[in-house]
Amino acid sequence: MELSTNSVANIVARFLRARGVDRVFALCGGHIMPIWMRLDAEGIRIIDVRDERAAVHMAQAHAELTGSLGVALVTAGPGVTNAMTGIANAHVSRAPVLVLSGTPPRPQENRGGLQDIDHTQLLRSITRYARTVREPALALQELDEAVSRALGEGGDPGPAYLDFPTDTLRADVPAPLQFEEHFRPKRKAMVLPARDVVEEAAELLWSARRPLVISGRGARGAGPELVRLLDALGAVYLDTGESRGLVPDDHPSVVAAMRGTVMSEADLVVTVGRRLDFQLAFGSPAIFAAAKFLRIADAPSELRDNRRGVVEILASPAQALAAIVEAAGDRLPAIDHQWVAGMRRRHEERATKLRGLMASAPAGSDGRLHPHRVLSALQDQLDADSIVITDGGDFLSFGRVGLSAPVMLDPGPFGCIGVGLPYGIAASLAYPERKVVVATGDGAFGFNAIEIDTAVRHRAPVVIVVANNGAWQIEAHDQQVTHGKVVGTRLQFADHAAMARAFGMYGERVEREEDLAGAIERAFANRPALIDAIVTPEAVSSDATTGLAWVPDLQPLAAWDEAERHWRDG
């Protein structure tokens, strides 16, 4: 059935093209076929995947890496329910993603039609906007509103959802109602900070002796301004998984290896677009002692969760940071230079020691590789333009400290393991000229392993390194230590390289340290490629030893939990 140029499906495609969308991550189905074919007609590339969850993960990675809207298209019923994990992950990560779907034609609604379910009821708690568009004349208006909500115009960014009955997609939008104002791309709003609040923030910062700056998602567009603030103030700095690479590792403010110490000794903590979630001990005084807080964000959830700031600035982080530096002028900060220098020195000592330990980490008693050896060999072949995605439970703990790159993504605050391969595919398609690496555990890899097929079909130049220890290792370790036996957490040492080759991808299985470097070189030369590195389950990660697996009551880590109890008891 040929659709007219005024059909809702055509309007959707034209709208996305006008808004700069050049690819959509999708899995086909009858209820969305009108949109699917019009996307192709408009020249929008369809990255067709093997599972809808992966489509949304790819849309999220595309959004986070490019700073633009990510779009996923999934079919009705199980297509939407399959996508829900990806949508929930984008929700917690505050990623601007638009998810589109279809529903049965209006005459079949609530009559037991194929895949007839009210998607919006399922999705409202994990989206910024969720609507079924039944009236063709409202399609453009709803698309405009959904994108605005996804981009965080007036609130937190995050996923927005729209679906359309199939007969609505085939219906026409009256030409007079196709307002150009809805098609036209919108400029991102820059929210300027109030002058008096900026002056209060500058006074607070320049009076602090031991200021600590922590960045998050909201700081991504403010890298240069963040560096200028650190240069002017001389504060110490911690990044998080949401903002890796904003400040170069060699910057004198970086003290990542001293994370626990600086958190406990700082007298002022500055959060820039960062929630005080479980990864930051919820901002508890049990961990941050008597530190005051300065909160800067353009999203409400990153401004006042858990701890209120002595000063709070709701504004675009780049504008706020620049204004603070300007307000401080030539004033000398009251910084404790000896404390800062000591933290930086100890950070460098620890970082140097870690690199040495990684490069020389011995194999296990089973003769299998230590995960540090795999990461060390991989780090040696990264460059200043690499993109790294780390994924997994136990292996993520090793990779979080063992790998460094200008741009990094990980499972995020939702702990959504399995994102690695979809993220890597989206990253390598967005930046095919750069080295894109997925470093993942074997358990996490299995969630979306079938997307190897997607990588091959779309020639996504990604390198996947699977640390294969034959287990859900962080849980297996906890079971053995806590309960004395392992139950249901062992996997096979499956040959993932053979699986990759079966789908037409270059694959190597590596079991000896001396073979690692050559295998990684060949992988980069034959992208897409997969290395199946057999690692020992005897290696114990930091997360396995700190309590993250057994989930303490008050804090995510055992030491923090103990400190919290002591603080609460007075």
Side-chain angles (χ1 to χ4, degrees):
M1 178 180 179
E2 188 68 27
L3 300 178
S4 80
T5 56
N6 290 321
S7 69
V8 170
N10 198 56
I11 293 298
V12 171
R14 284 174 51 205
F15 174 86
L16 293 178
R17 170 58 76 187
R19 292 299 179 94
V21 175
D22 61 359
R23 70 196 62 188
V24 170
F25 303 92
L27 203 162
C28 200
H31 291 97
I32 57 171
M33 191 64 74
I35 299 176
W36 190 281
M37 300 311 295
R38 294 315 304 170
L39 291 176
D40 178 70
E42 283 292 323
I44 295 174
R45 183 179 180 184
I46 297 174
I47 309 299
D48 57 304
V49 302
R50 297 296 300 273
D51 186 275
E52 288 88 356
R53 168 178 50 185
V56 183
H57 287 331
M58 291 181 194
Q60 177 178 339
H62 179 85
E64 296 199 23
L65 291 168
T66 66
S68 60
L69 181 73
V71 181
L73 175 64
V74 303
T75 199
V80 172
T81 57
N82 285 348
M84 284 182 68
T85 295
I87 295 170
N89 190 49
H91 164 68
V92 176
S93 297
R94 307 176 299 287
V97 173
L98 175 66
V99 181
L100 300 174
S101 186
T103 69
R106 285 169 290 180
Q108 299 182 36
E109 282 186 4
N110 201 31
R111 299 182 65 198
L114 176 66
Q115 299 178 338
D116 186 9
I117 188 171
D118 189 345
H119 304 134
T120 59
Q121 291 291 338
L122 298 175
L123 294 173
R124 283 202 174 100
S125 68
I126 54 172
T127 56
R128 303 295 178 266
Y129 193 70
R131 290 292 303 275
T132 295
V133 183
R134 292 179 172 84
E135 170 52 50
L138 297 178
L140 256 179
Q141 176 181 321
E142 290 285 8
L143 285 163
D144 186 32
E145 182 65 18
V147 170
S148 297
R149 298 286 190 98
L151 294 173
E153 295 177 8
D156 285 5
Y161 173 85
L162 291 179
D163 60 24
F164 306 80
T166 307
D167 62 322
T168 297
L169 289 173
R170 292 189 281 255
D172 282 354
V173 176
L177 296 179
Q178 295 178 31
F179 297 121
E180 176 60 27
E181 65 207 48
H182 289 319
F183 286 103
R184 190 182 309 122
K186 307 299 188 291
R187 291 183 180 179
K188 181 176 174 58
M190 287 294 176
V191 182
L192 299 178
R195 185 66 193 177
D196 58 338
V197 180
V198 167
E199 291 174 354
E200 289 178 22
E203 175 63 30
L204 191 63
L205 276 165
W206 262 253
S207 299
R209 297 280 291 160
R210 298 180 173 185
L212 163 63
V213 179
I214 305 175
S215 62
R217 179 215 64 87
R220 285 179 185 155
E225 291 80 7
L226 179 58
V227 171
R228 281 198 288 274
L229 173 73
L230 294 173
D231 289 341
L233 182 61
V236 295
Y237 169 75
L238 295 176
D239 63 15
T240 62
E242 297 179 351
S243 58
R244 291 289 296 271
L246 282 184
V247 177
D249 286 344
D250 60 359
H251 192 279
S253 291
V254 172
V255 291
M258 298 299 296
R259 185 175 298 265
T261 303
V262 296
M263 285 169 61
S264 66
E265 295 185 5
D267 62 359
L268 175 65
V269 177
V270 185
T271 62
V272 184
R274 185 61 166 87
R275 294 191 65 187
L276 288 168
D277 60 12
F278 75 96
Q279 298 170 88
L280 293 173
F282 312 114
S284 172
I287 310 305
F288 286 94
K292 297 177 181 178
F293 283 81
L294 165 59
R295 313 280 318 256
I296 302 170
D298 60 359
S301 69
E302 296 166 358
L303 191 72
R304 54 180 179 266
D305 65 311
N306 289 311
R307 295 292 300 276
R308 299 300 298 258
V310 174
V311 177
E312 297 171 346
I313 304 179
L314 181 60
S316 301
Q319 307 300 315
L321 295 173
I324 290 170
V325 172
E326 181 183 354
D330 296 331
R331 176 179 173 179
L332 292 177
I335 202 89
D336 183 343
H337 294 286
Q338 185 175 357
W339 179 75
V340 172
M343 287 296 168
R344 177 64 182 178
R345 183 183 66 254
R346 292 164 65 189
H347 158 78
E348 291 176 331
E349 290 171 352
R350 287 189 177 183
T352 300
K353 182 179 179 181
L354 175 62
R355 286 193 293 271
L357 290 173
M358 288 176 60
S360 60
S365 64
D366 53 11
R368 297 184 176 113
L369 294 164
H370 194 289
H372 277 326
R373 279 293 182 106
V374 177
L375 294 168
S376 179
L378 184 57
Q379 183 67 47
D380 286 344
Q381 297 194 39
L382 299 180
D383 56 34
D385 209 26
S386 296
I387 298 173
V388 171
I389 294 99
T390 52
D391 191 14
D394 200 59
F395 188 59
L396 176 64
S397 180
F398 289 107
R400 189 185 299 120
V401 296
L403 290 176
S404 180
V407 178
M408 298 186 72
L409 294 178
D410 64 24
F414 196 44
C416 189
I417 66 172
V419 299
L421 182 52
Y423 280 12
I425 291 170
S428 63
L429 290 172
Y431 300 103
E433 73 286 357
R434 299 169 69 172
K435 285 185 175 180
V436 176
V437 174
V438 175
T440 178
D442 55 334
F445 172 70
F447 279 99
N448 287 294
I450 193 65
E451 300 303 333
I452 285 175
D453 175 61
T454 304
V456 172
R457 287 185 293 105
H458 289 279
R459 299 178 182 174
V462 61
V463 170
I464 307 142
V465 179
V466 180
N468 185 351
N469 60 12
W472 300 98
Q473 188 54 38
I474 195 168
E475 287 80 12
H477 178 269
D478 174 58
Q479 288 176 343
Q480 188 63 56
V481 171
T482 306
H483 305 283
K485 63 177 181 178
V486 175
V487 181
T489 53
R490 296 289 190 207
L491 301 171
Q492 301 180 62
F493 283 91
D495 192 339
H496 300 108
M499 177 185 178
R501 291 194 296 272
F503 282 97
M505 179 180 284
Y506 182 85
E508 283 195 45
R509 188 175 174 93
V510 179
E511 302 184 47
R512 302 184 306 167
E513 188 274 332
E514 56 266 33
D515 297 331
L516 271 171
I520 295 170
E521 287 180 5
R522 290 186 291 275
F524 278 118
N526 293 280
R527 293 176 287 175
L530 182 145
I531 296 170
D532 187 26
I534 309 305
V535 300
T536 179
E538 297 172 9
V540 181
S541 70
S542 60
D543 283 351
T545 60
T546 55
L548 197 65
W550 56 266
V551 192
D553 290 342
L554 302 178
Q555 286 282 354
L557 305 180
W560 288 359
D561 190 73
E562 183 179 350
E564 183 81 18
R565 291 177 186 279
H566 180 75
W567 172 71
R568 291 189 182 193
D569 290 341

